[in-house]
Amino acid sequence: MSERILHRFPGGLHPAQHKAESNGTPIRQARLQGLLVLPLKQHIGNPAQPVVAVGERVRRHQLLGRADGFVSAPIHAPTSGTIVAIEERPVAHPSGLSAPCIVLEPDGLDEAMQAFDPWPDFRAIAPILLRERVREAGVVGLGGAVFPSAVKLAGRPGIPIHTVVLNGAECEPYITCDDRLMRERAGEVLCGGQILMHMVGASKCLVGVEDNKPEAIAALHAAASELDDPRIEIVAIPTVYPSGAEKQLIYVLTGERISREMRATERGFLGHNVATAAAVYRAVVLGEPLTRRIVTLTGSGMQHKGNWEVPLGMLACDLIAQAGGYTPDVARLILGGPMMGFALCSDEVPLTKAANCLLALAAHDVPVDPLPLPCIRCGRCAESCPVELQPQQLLWDAKAGDFERAEKQDSLFECIECGICAVVCPSHIPLVQYFRYAKTEIWQREREKNKAAQAKERFEARNARLEREKREREEMLASRRAQLAAQKAEGETASAAVDEKQKAIQAALERVKARKAALQASAEDTPSTTTVAEAKEYDND
Amino acid sequence: MLTAILVFTLLALVLGALLGYAGQAFRVEGDPLADKIDALLPQTQCGQCGYPGCRPYAEAIAEGRADINRCPPGGEATIKALADLLGVEPKPLDAEVGEEKPKRVAWIDEQLCIGCTLCIQACPVDAIVGAPKLMHTVIVEECTGCELCVAPCPVDCIHMVPLKIELDHWRWPNPEQRREIAEGASSVHVPSKPLEQHV
Ligand code: SF4
Ligand code: SF4
Ligand code: SF4
Ligand code: SF4
């Protein structure tokens, strides 16, 4: 295999890795414990619509909520049991708010049903059916973005996909769930890659893995030689955060720069996380919906670190308790990694398709947030930004409330919230927090604007309706009045007709009288021609 | 060459004249300034400004009959936007018209509602549905929170309640304000269980 020339994206960071703490032990299966709380929304898009009722008994892999619309995903039962509630429960979100969830009480039997036909010979199946399968199995991006995979697979009409990029970079510190997956189930990952290639008609599959995971790379190579598929290429890439961001990874692997306005699919690349590829494999070859995922437990605040495969809906506190609990000096629990994750307000929240890591930090590891100093315009944030934004300018926009400029001129929405700018800032300015704030603020204003427009429309429609009703009432009254008048007038019409006749007679009489007088006059004046001539002249005037 | 120049000059003249005529003949009626002002108002249609709706208030501002600080639902943000548009200094909300309050929506206690339809008649955006003698309900998505339905209700069964924050509509706090809150207090999030055990 010829050496692939790798590329280096601008900016980036080399944070402390902390990977060895959790990647040394095999993936363990979490025991079912307590209730499973399944949020209807574990993906980008519309929440699923429940198709089960409270009190209903369900089996493993049974559909609990169907996808609502194109950008949505269904959810399935991770085990057998009874639906005990469909209600709002606290979910893993920076706000600590609640969201609608289906609550399942496991019965311990774990009785399964075959959700779909297994298709071991996926090459014989039409791509469109495979795509439908991926959709029905509830597969979403498991790298943390949770975008419905089938939507991405639908691609852009008229733009063929030439390369499938499997993302095994796992660039964020502490997280090792993809590392363990690639070591232990490399075959599933690569077969998922083959299915994806078949689905979109791609001729190449690049698997990008950071070179800090030699065991995973070796396992992938072994699996690839077993498959003997020349289209698959395993590529070890340098360890630089955030090489796992989609556009950055594609650039590293191919040198293709995808401009800010474009999506990868528009340039013929289909990027999927390695765990997503494995889920695609299970959905197609085994006919299993997505009901489990691998979660890393790690950090100085966690007694035992490692990776667990958990049923979706399991509460974080139950998993942590099962794994040995916290250390006495735990101070903060983060969902995700230290760079892009967020602190949880409570650990009594369910683990969803998005939950890749629970990071518990002991007090001495919690970064102290020193009071930010003013920006000194040193430019370090701009040098390190992998998207080549101007964070100091965006900061200025956000502080001044100039969201329009932030969005239109300074490309706020290109920011991938990698958090590097905030890490390198010598003034300790929490830049990325300003950008998150500005983004949600812009969305809120958009909503308010829409609502105002809607209210205005309804107000005007109502006024027009009131106006019309008033006019109609007036018209009705007017016609009623006219009718009454007509009725009254009817009696008088007869006498009026008589009058008319008399008038006509009168007029006729007068005309006759006038003619007689004229005749008399002409009889007297006939000899005088001058008069006639004069009269004629007068007539002509 | 000469003909070409002549032809184009003629064409330019004729088209110019046509454009000029069209500009006169098809002039859009209405007041563009009032439109711009109206676009900045929150469209709550509550009448707190002293005008029967946002549009009349916008017209009054455009004609210089009203000041820019009379819309409580819009609050400071609207005053600032109006000041920017009109090139004047922003000023605080006129205390006479009320104060800026968090967004709320009407909620009808359906147990008490007698179906008199008075609230339907009061609502400027038709956000209440119901038939005579049947209970009435507020369509939350349409309600602007103008409070005009509260007073007419003969059994006082309409209450203004805070708008529930949807997860999707949640906003990250402004770091500036967060710092103010955090000063003095610890900003560290602690998981619930260890909190009980160890702190
Ligand atoms: S958080 Fe946004 S602005 Fe900051 S470095 Fe990352 S991409 Fe650039
Ligand atoms: S790194 Fe910090 S101080 Fe330097 S320019 Fe960026 S925001 Fe300003
Ligand atoms: S106070 Fe504001 S929201 Fe209410 S009617 Fe007047 S302009 Fe509209
Ligand atoms: S329901 Fe009441 S508060 Fe809401 S818009 Fe209608 S009148 Fe105003």
Side-chain angles (χ1 to χ4, degrees):
Chain A
M1 207 186 289
S2 68
E3 262 316 290
R4 178 169 280 274
I5 300 162
L6 296 179
H7 302 260
R8 173 76 170 86
F9 56 84
L13 197 69
H14 296 276
Q17 289 297 307
H18 295 287
K19 300 269 194 189
E21 297 161 19
S22 59
N23 70 2
T25 43
I27 299 166
R28 275 166 278 187
Q29 295 295 323
R31 251 181 306 109
L32 275 172
Q33 185 179 341
L35 298 175
L36 296 181
V37 179
L38 294 138
L40 289 169
K41 186 170 161 155
Q42 305 186 26
H43 49 263
I44 305 278
N46 298 333
Q49 292 290 328
V51 295
V52 286
V54 174
E56 201 172 320
R57 183 168 188 279
V58 296
R59 287 180 294 163
R60 173 152 60 93
H61 294 169
Q62 186 173 333
L63 183 71
L64 300 182
R66 63 174 168 76
D68 178 25
F70 184 57
V71 184
S72 181
I75 54 170
H76 301 80
T79 186
S80 62
T82 314
I83 306 297
V84 291
I86 300 176
E87 61 186 24
E88 301 233 328
R89 291 276 176 122
V91 293
H93 191 268
S95 65
L97 286 171
S98 299
C101 298
I102 295 180
V103 185
L104 171 64
E105 185 176 19
D107 57 12
L109 303 173
D110 202 21
E111 190 190 326
M113 63 181 274
Q114 188 66 38
F116 313 109
D117 292 337
W119 286 335
D121 187 16
F122 62 86
R123 289 179 186 82
I125 310 285
I128 187 157
L129 292 178
L130 291 173
R131 212 153 57 218
E132 198 47 39
R133 165 64 57 85
V134 168
R135 180 178 157 75
E136 283 176 354
V139 179
V140 300
L142 294 178
V146 288
F147 190 74
S149 301
V151 176
K152 225 172 170 184
L153 284 166
R156 297 282 160 129
I159 306 173
I161 300 288
H162 50 75
T163 306
V164 170
V165 175
L166 291 190
N167 189 342
E170 199 164 57
C171 59
E172 190 152 358
Y174 285 101
I175 310 177
T176 58
C177 55
D178 289 346
D179 184 3
R180 286 308 319 186
L181 173 85
M182 289 185 284
R183 289 193 206 188
E184 296 174 37
R185 304 178 194 169
E188 289 185 16
V189 171
L190 296 187
C191 185
Q194 286 181 317
I195 298 171
L196 289 168
M197 278 194 283
H198 174 61
M199 260 191 260
V200 296
S203 55
K204 188 102 204 105
C205 176
L206 297 174
V207 190
V209 187
E210 277 192 349
D211 56 13
N212 62 356
K213 293 182 261 299
E215 297 89 347
I217 294 168
L220 286 168
H221 274 302
S225 58
E226 212 166 288
L227 284 175
D228 195 23
D229 187 336
R231 299 173 302 169
I232 297 177
E233 191 180 328
I234 317 294
V235 190
I237 60 170
T239 301
V240 184
Y241 177 79
S243 65
E246 186 170 84
K247 288 180 182 178
Q248 276 66 26
L249 179 62
I250 291 171
Y251 181 70
V252 169
L253 291 173
T254 67
E256 285 265 6
R257 291 183 88 109
I258 297 169
S259 67
R260 290 178 178 176
E261 305 76 37
M262 282 219 173
R263 287 176 190 222
T265 44
E266 286 173 286
R267 294 289 293 274
F269 291 97
L270 176 71
H272 273 298
N273 178 272
V274 285
T276 314
V280 166
Y281 161 83
R282 298 188 91 88
V284 171
V285 175
L286 309 179
E288 271 179 21
L290 179 65
T291 60
R292 310 172 78 76
R293 74 152 296 144
I294 302 167
V295 182
T296 304
L297 295 197
T298 185
S300 51
M302 206 69 86
Q303 284 288 6
H304 296 290
K305 306 165 189 65
N307 286 281
W308 272 261
E309 185 163 35
V310 297
L312 297 175
M314 187 170 187
L315 296 186
C317 54
D318 289 341
L319 176 65
I320 292 167
Q322 210 175 96
Y326 302 102
T327 58
D329 56 348
V330 65
R332 185 180 290 188
L333 181 66
I334 293 169
L335 184 74
M339 300 296 288
M340 297 180 77
F342 57 87
L344 289 172
C345 310
S346 156
D347 56 4
E348 286 173 79
V349 292
L351 296 165
T352 64
K353 294 175 185 177
N356 51 359
C357 177
L358 283 168
L359 170 62
L361 294 177
H364 61 87
D365 260 350
V366 172
V368 275
D369 300 330
L371 268 190
L373 301 168
C375 168
I376 53 170
R377 298 231 156 220
C378 65
R380 267 197 234 171
C381 50
E383 273 166 33
S384 314
C385 174
V387 196
E388 295 179 277
L389 298 175
Q390 297 287 330
Q392 77 281 34
Q393 182 57 47
L394 280 166
L395 171 71
W396 185 259
D397 297 342
K399 278 191 160 186
D402 192 347
F403 299 121
E404 176 133 1
R405 185 190 159 120
E407 185 182 356
K408 304 262 154 69
Q409 214 168 317
D410 300 324
S411 312
L412 172 66
F413 285 95
E414 296 308 316
C415 166
I416 56 174
E417 297 177 24
C418 68
I420 292 178
C421 49
V423 171
V424 300
C425 176
S427 290
H428 310 295
I429 302 172
L431 288 138
V432 63
Q433 287 179 27
Y434 280 93
F435 306 156
R436 286 171 168 169
Y437 153 71
K439 285 182 187 178
T440 48
E441 200 62 34
I442 288 171
W443 290 326
Q444 174 68 15
R445 291 189 183 192
E446 198 68 24
R447 279 193 295 272
E448 270 168 17
K449 229 165 92 194
N450 290 343
K451 182 149 187 193
Q454 194 187 0
K456 185 174 164 171
E457 210 170 274
R458 288 182 75 88
F459 180 61
E460 280 165 4
R462 176 187 156 89
N463 284 349
R465 198 196 71 217
L466 292 179
E467 194 64 30
R468 197 185 59 232
E469 280 171 5
K470 202 170 126 198
R471 213 179 42 240
E472 277 171 5
R473 210 170 37 244
E474 265 165 17
E475 272 167 17
M476 201 187 69
L477 284 178
S479 72
R480 182 80 51 79
R481 236 179 277 132
Q483 238 172 39
L484 280 177
Q487 271 168 16
K488 218 167 101 191
E490 211 144 275
E492 295 162 11
T493 344
S495 54
V498 176
D499 275 333
E500 206 87 313
K501 236 177 238 167
Q502 270 172 355
K503 249 186 228 158
I505 295 168
Q506 193 73 28
L509 281 175
E510 256 154 48
R511 268 201 308 277
V512 172
K513 220 191 248 171
R515 209 175 296 156
K516 269 186 189 159
L519 277 175
Q520 245 170 22
S522 69
E524 281 167 17
D525 292 1
T526 326
S528 153
T529 44
T530 46
T531 341
V532 177
E534 267 171 13
K536 262 189 186 155
E537 226 174 62
Y538 183 79
D539 267 352
N540 284 344
D541 265 0
Chain B
M1 181 68 192
L2 202 67
T3 17
I5 291 173
L6 268 174
V7 165
F8 277 102
T9 322
L10 211 74
L11 213 69
L13 281 174
V14 171
L15 287 178
L18 248 169
L19 264 177
Y21 168 75
Q24 287 292 319
F26 304 111
R27 189 169 26 190
V28 186
E29 285 304 319
D31 186 346
L33 183 60
D35 284 343
K36 277 193 200 136
I37 296 171
D38 197 20
L40 297 177
L41 295 175
Q43 305 298 329
T44 307
Q45 316 294 2
C46 62
Q48 287 181 80
C49 50
Y51 295 87
C54 304
R55 177 79 207 182
Y57 177 46
E59 279 162 7
I61 297 177
E63 288 161 19
R65 286 186 281 117
D67 217 336
I68 58 168
N69 61 345
R70 299 186 58 85
C71 172
E76 214 178 298
T78 298
I79 295 172
K80 188 173 170 292
L82 288 173
D84 282 352
L85 175 72
L86 300 170
V88 296
E89 277 299 306
K91 47 175 93 174
L93 187 68
D94 193 338
E96 183 192 300
V97 291
E99 54 189 54
E100 190 177 352
K101 283 181 280 189
K103 277 245 167 342
R104 295 186 301 170
V105 289
W107 172 77
I108 298 180
D109 188 340
E110 291 168 3
Q111 303 298 314
L112 295 180
C113 174
I114 53 170
C116 68
T117 78
L118 286 176
C119 57
I120 295 191
Q121 290 164 40
C123 178
V125 291
D126 285 340
I128 305 178
V129 287
K133 298 200 184 133
L134 287 173
M135 66 169 194
H136 291 15
T137 312
V138 175
I139 311 169
V140 175
E141 289 77 41
E142 309 289 5
C143 174
T144 66
C146 71
E147 305 190 11
L148 291 179
C149 54
V150 176
C153 177
V155 291
D156 280 342
C157 74
I158 307 182
H159 308 285
M160 299 305 293
V161 297
L163 195 61
K164 184 176 167 286
I165 305 172
E166 300 279 334
L167 203 64
D168 286 345
H169 296 178
W170 178 79
R171 284 177 285 166
W172 284 95
N174 184 344
E176 304 273 304
Q177 284 159 13
R178 190 146 79 169
R179 202 188 321 146
E180 283 161 28
I181 300 164
E183 265 166 35
S186 150
S187 64
V188 176
H189 290 280
V190 183
S192 61
K193 286 201 170 161
L195 188 73
E196 290 155 22
Q197 288 166 14
H198 307 292
V199 181

